[in-house]
Amino acid sequence: GVLTGCCRGQASNPAATGSPALEMLGGGAEAALAKKRTLLRITLLGPARGGKTSLVNALVNNAFHERYQPTEDTTLSYVSVSAQEEDALPSAPKFNALVEIEDTRASDKMELAECHNLTDPWWPRPEALAMEKPPRASIVPETGRRCSAFLPFSMTDAPTGKFNDEGSRVVRCETGMWVGKYFCYIREKQCGPKELDGAGRQCKSCRRFQRSLTAKGEYRLIARQRMAYVFVFDATDKSSYLQCLTCLKEHFQESSKRTEIKTKPLVYLVGSQIDKDPDRSVFHDVVAHMRGFVTEQAEQGNRVSAQLVSAMTNRCVPKLLRTIVMDLKGMEPLWKVIPHGEGAGEEATKQIAPSSERTDLAAG
């Protein structure tokens, strides 16, 4: 059956006018944005066998693989999206985005430090560097065409880098107790295997560089920060759902400590694998509890949008991606280095709530 719920007020016809923040800049802002491709990032979290990787395959490749293969390291995938609200006019400008999807290993198998890293919107870079204005696109003299500062980029595993996030060259220590650790050997920072009373020390930048390394090499992200967290679980498995709720609650606890973050990433709770056995009582119990949980979190000031999907049948998967992209469109501080455009007045810096002030639990 179809289960629907609405736990918060829905924005009135957001598609008719587009982003409220862009409206403040005039009618040409939407058209100008439609000519660009905005870089967004979505991070998937959840327990083992919850369906995170299957959801990524459905989003990126429109494919489903029966064989289960656990995700060992956090991986990145990319998909290009041109989206507009469902009730938008055909002539309305589209919002074009390159979505960076971060697929993580099972949350119940993560170390505490790894969980905290993913909760940090800017990891592995510090906020100051992540918030720097990116280089402008250059013009190729021979053709006069614009050359992106970010493309082309490699889709293969990146090799270990040679510089930390402060631009200092790092060298791997090969001997002693610090073997395998990287140092920039800058004396002012006392960074080196024997720089602090002979005991050694890594500066903060080198420690961040060290944490960014995985079995596949340096973890290199394109988007400047995490903008949307998607917590995925098996909607037909009560244990999977409860583990996902634990992960989500821990996320809110860590996020509440980051009081300096003015615009928090969006949060989605997604029940997957609804094709398995939608008539089982456990499925209906999970969905009913999920609706109550979303309402409870809303009363506590935590915004959570929920949806049910099936990666195998591709049911509601395109809708989920479109919803997230369009919600992020209205949250300009998450993806714009200078929110609402250069030279915009103070009135335009007002934070705009996402269009997903609704809770969509429709499975069809």
Side-chain angles (χ1 to χ4, degrees), residues 34-51:
K35 298 179 180 178
K36 301 178 181 180
R37 191 166 293 279
T38 303
L39 187 58
L40 307 175
R41 189 195 305 172
I42 299 173
T43 302
L44 273 62
L45 297 168
R49 295 183 178 272

Side-chain angles (χ1 to χ4, degrees), residues 34-263:
K35 298 179 180 178
K36 301 178 181 180
R37 191 166 293 279
T38 303
L39 187 58
L40 307 175
R41 189 195 305 172
I42 299 173
T43 302
L44 273 62
L45 297 168
R49 295 183 178 272
K52 299 185 298 297
T53 303
S54 293
L55 182 57
V56 172
N57 277 328
L59 291 170
V60 177
N61 302 315
N62 195 25
F64 177 79
H65 302 291
E66 292 282 354
R67 181 182 177 184
Y68 173 72
Q69 184 173 353
T71 302
E72 299 295 338
D73 297 293
T74 304
T75 57
L76 299 173
S77 302
Y78 297 87
V79 61
S80 179
V81 179
S82 293
Q84 56 184 179
E85 293 286 354
E86 289 182 349
D87 55 349
L89 297 174
S91 59
K94 291 185 177 181
F95 181 61
N96 302 309
L98 175 65
V99 183
E100 184 174 56
I101 303 177
E102 197 174 22
D103 184 19
T104 63
R105 68 193 187 109
S107 58
D108 49 315
K109 298 181 180 179
M110 286 185 187
E111 299 290 340
L112 183 60
E114 188 176 359
C115 291
H116 289 175
N117 286 340
L118 292 172
T119 302
D120 183 349
W122 297 285
W123 180 85
R125 293 177 292 178
E127 179 182 359
L129 289 177
M131 295 294 286
E132 284 184 351
K133 192 170 183 178
R136 291 184 177 274
S138 58
I139 303 297
V140 180
E142 293 78 8
T143 62
R145 297 181 62 183
R146 185 179 296 272
C147 180
S148 171
F150 301 103
L151 301 177
F153 57 89
S154 174
M155 294 298 291
T156 59
D157 297 330
T160 301
K162 298 181 180 179
F163 299 89
N164 60 24
D165 54 24
E166 293 182 354
S168 302
R169 180 178 289 274
V170 294
V171 179
R172 186 177 187 272
C173 181
E174 302 293 347
T175 59
M177 61 179 294
W178 290 93
V179 63
K181 302 295 184 180
Y182 287 82
F183 301 90
C184 62
Y185 291 91
I186 296 179
R187 185 173 297 277
E188 291 77 7
K189 297 182 179 181
Q190 295 185 324
C191 183
K194 296 182 180 180
E195 289 295 328
L196 189 63
D197 300 327
R201 178 182 182 274
Q202 275 184 313
C203 67
K204 290 183 178 180
S205 183
C206 286
R207 288 201 296 271
R208 289 192 295 267
F209 179 88
Q210 194 78 45
R211 289 196 299 267
S212 75
L213 301 180
T214 68
K216 294 184 177 181
E218 185 182 358
Y219 191 49
R220 297 180 180 180
L221 298 150
I222 299 179
R224 69 173 191 170
Q225 71 170 91
R226 292 172 180 85
M227 305 173 191
Y229 288 97
V230 180
F231 292 84
V232 186
F233 65 93
D234 182 351
T236 64
D237 187 336
K238 183 178 179 180
S239 176
S240 176
Y241 172 62
L242 294 177
Q243 290 178 29
C244 190
L245 287 191
T246 299
C247 181
L248 177 53
K249 291 177 181 178
E250 290 176 352
H251 168 80
F252 278 136
Q253 289 177 357
E254 289 299 316
S255 179
S256 65
K257 300 175 184 177
R258 303 296 298 271
T259 56
E260 76 281 6
I261 302 178
K262 303 303 180 184
T263 305

